[in-house]
Amino acid sequence: MTTTQRRGFNDTVTRFWSFAAPAYDQRCLQRWVYRPAQDEVIAKLRQHGSTQIADIACGTGILADRIQRELRPDEVYGIDMSEGMLAQARKRSDRVRWMSAPAEELPFEDGFLDAVVTTSAFHFFDQPAALAEFHRVLAPGGIVAVTTISPHQPIPVLQAMSAAVWSPAHNPSESELLALFAGAGFTVADQHRVRRPFWTPISDLITVGVKPA
């Protein structure tokens, strides 16, 4: 994908989520769709003892706010491209540092963070570029936790959206994620299905990588 195409895609996604931001906060949507993956990310951050954390594509800030309140790290950064989402996030918390930036161009110096997380948004990224950027901004020993839509069986709609590998809205398989993480220089520490009630018609994956010391 060319830079111009990528910019146009980013602009389209940003406009949609700016419009959809108020609906995104509906309690039932958050509880059954987003919270299980967020719970697992928080558990990984707690286990790692992370203190400088960035939530990429943070949306309305629910996860970043939870990280700040539940883990009390030194700093939490919420990064998103949608001003509509960030406007909602700023109402939620004044303790998180909210910033506008794409996943592929983060506003941090090399080695500034010790954890980068992103939930339910990786399919929108230029995935190799985003992981390379996560690697750049992490200190040695830092972790990245990514949750992705990853159905056990192919879903026609997702297949149509993912016609070309690394195209917009591509949902990588488990093996593709392992290759992506390795290609970006991460050692994969864990990969498993997000734990959900058996009746939930959602299947997603959490992959955790470590930047070697």
Side-chain angles (χ1 to χ4, degrees), residues 12-34:
T12 300
V13 171
T14 299
R15 285 194 298 270
F16 170 77
W17 284 114
S18 292
F19 173 79
Y24 182 81
D25 278 348
Q26 293 298 314
R27 185 170 297 179
C28 63
L29 178 68
Q30 287 297 324
R31 180 178 180 182
W32 300 119
V33 176
Y34 297 110

Side-chain angles (χ1 to χ4, degrees), residues 2-210:
T2 67
T3 301
T4 301
Q5 288 174 318
R6 185 77 213 178
R7 187 178 299 115
F9 175 71
N10 286 344
D11 289 346
T12 300
V13 171
T14 299
R15 285 194 298 270
F16 170 77
W17 284 114
S18 292
F19 173 79
Y24 182 81
D25 278 348
Q26 293 298 314
R27 185 170 297 179
C28 63
L29 178 68
Q30 287 297 324
R31 180 178 180 182
W32 300 119
V33 176
Y34 297 110
R35 188 177 179 97
Q38 294 173 357
D39 288 345
E40 296 214 16
V41 166
I42 287 176
K44 291 296 182 183
L45 293 173
R46 180 178 285 112
Q47 181 182 5
H48 183 256
S50 305
T51 60
Q52 295 275 355
I53 304 164
D55 178 17
I56 313 303
C58 65
T60 60
I62 292 174
L63 175 58
D65 177 51
R66 284 188 63 194
I67 291 170
Q68 195 283 322
R69 289 186 291 102
E70 296 178 26
L71 302 182
R72 300 289 181 179
D74 293 343
E75 293 287 352
V76 181
Y77 300 87
I79 312 297
D80 205 280
M81 291 181 62
S82 166
E83 284 302 327
M85 288 289 194
L86 290 172
Q88 297 286 107
R90 292 185 181 104
K91 295 176 184 177
R92 187 181 306 281
S93 174
D94 60 2
R95 296 180 180 179
V96 176
R97 297 194 179 190
W98 308 108
M99 307 169 78
S100 177
E104 303 84 1
E105 298 178 24
L106 298 177
F108 304 111
E109 296 179 359
D110 295 359
F112 182 75
L113 302 169
D114 65 1
V116 173
V117 303
T118 185
T119 59
S120 307
F122 193 65
H123 51 287
F124 288 128
F125 301 163
D126 179 329
Q127 293 159 12
L131 281 172
E133 185 70 345
F134 298 168
H135 189 277
R136 180 188 70 79
V137 300
L138 282 171
I143 67 168
V144 56
V146 175
T147 72
T148 52
I149 300 169
S150 184
H152 291 282
Q153 299 296 328
I155 297 175
V157 172
L158 295 182
Q159 284 185 303
M161 294 172 69
S162 306
V165 174
W166 317 138
S167 67
H170 177 72
N171 294 279
S173 67
E174 296 175 38
S175 60
E176 285 175 337
L177 279 163
L178 293 176
L180 276 166
F181 272 60
F186 289 106
T187 299
V188 175
D190 187 21
Q191 185 184 70
H192 65 264
R193 294 280 164 183
V194 171
R195 299 171 183 88
R196 294 179 176 274
F198 73 91
W199 48 263
T200 306
I202 296 171
S203 182
D204 47 356
L205 195 71
I206 181 169
T207 306
V208 180
V210 179

